[in-house]
């Protein structure tokens, strides 16, 4: 056995001994959450992309035991301004506040906030700029959803009993 395989095996055994378990393994959070989360109904295009990405990552809410409430905030900031005062690049700064709760009792399981940013250029045609802006919004909403999923997968499995 090579040293790298031994190191990987030793690392895996050390993590298992410390109480860590695979997220998607038996009894892991991934299995307990998959198909079990109902996101709040989206009311904006950004929220639609966000909720869709949550469902893509954690499965459709077949028998939702948990409710995920969220609030997205996205701000547009000028980034590159020419000497003629024309903005050629914008940044989208976004945050998502979220609360996971038991759907039956309403008891809060976890809450948090994630943030990210993306940008787009305005140097093309009007149609190209509009497409770039929409793509930036879509990317940001997906990034925020991915971060929320990561946070949800990191919660203590015992809190989902």
């Amino acid at each position: 056995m090579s040293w790298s395989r031994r190191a990987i095996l030793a690392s895996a055994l050390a993590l298992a001994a410390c109480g860590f378990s695979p997220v998607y393994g038996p009894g892991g959070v991934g299995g307990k959450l998959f198909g079990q989360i109902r996101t709040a109904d989206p009311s904006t295009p950004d929220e639609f992309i966000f909720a869709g990405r949550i469902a893509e990552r954690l499965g459709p809410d077949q028998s939702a035991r948990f409710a995920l409430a969220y609030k997205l905030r996205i701000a547009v900031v000028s980034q590159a301004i020419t000497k003629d005062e024309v903005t050629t690049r914008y940044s989208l700064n976004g945050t998502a506040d979220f609360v996971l709760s038991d759907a039956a009792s309403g008891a809060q399981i976890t809450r948090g906030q994630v943030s990210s940013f993306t940008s787009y250029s305005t140097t093309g045609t009007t149609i190209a700029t509009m497409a770039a802006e929409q793509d930036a919004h879509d990317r940001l909403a997906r990034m925020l959803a991915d971060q929320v999923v990561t946070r949800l997968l990191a919660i203590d499995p015992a809190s989902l009993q």
Side-chain angles (χ1 to χ4, degrees):
M1 188 182 300
S2 71
W3 282 106
S4 61
R5 285 187 182 167
R6 285 184 187 161
I8 292 171
L9 182 59
S11 297
L13 290 174
L15 286 176
C18 292
F20 288 104
S21 63
V23 169
Y24 294 107
V29 174
K32 290 182 178 185
L33 292 180
F34 192 83
Q36 300 292 317
I37 295 180
R38 167 115 169 76
T39 59
D41 292 334
S43 60
T44 66
D46 293 328
E47 290 177 357
F48 183 80
I49 298 296
F50 177 87
R53 181 62 175 169
I54 297 283
E56 188 179 315
R57 294 277 314 272
L58 293 175
D61 57 351
Q62 303 156 343
S63 56
R65 290 181 45 215
F66 308 104
L68 181 67
Y70 58 87
K71 179 176 171 111
L72 298 183
R73 287 187 306 277
I74 298 176
V76 180
V77 180
S78 300
Q79 291 294 304
I81 302 172
T82 66
K83 63 183 176 181
D84 299 327
E85 296 187 22
V86 175
T87 303
T88 60
R89 188 159 198 82
Y90 287 96
S91 175
L92 298 178
N93 299 332
T95 61
D97 296 304
F98 65 93
V99 177
L100 182 70
S101 56
D102 184 277
S105 69
Q108 180 179 304
I109 297 168
T110 190
R111 70 181 313 126
Q113 181 183 74
V114 296
S115 63
S116 193
F117 71 95
T118 187
S119 63
Y120 64 96
S121 174
T122 63
T123 58
T125 64
T126 302
I127 298 296
T129 298
M130 290 172 60
E133 179 181 11
Q134 183 58 51
D135 180 65
H137 275 271
D138 292 355
R139 285 182 286 130
L140 181 59
R142 290 174 61 87
M143 285 188 283
L144 292 170
D146 284 341
Q147 288 182 15
V148 168
V149 169
T150 299
R151 289 282 201 76
L152 294 176
L153 293 175
I155 65 176
D156 181 8
S159 64
L160 301 176
Q161 300 304 333

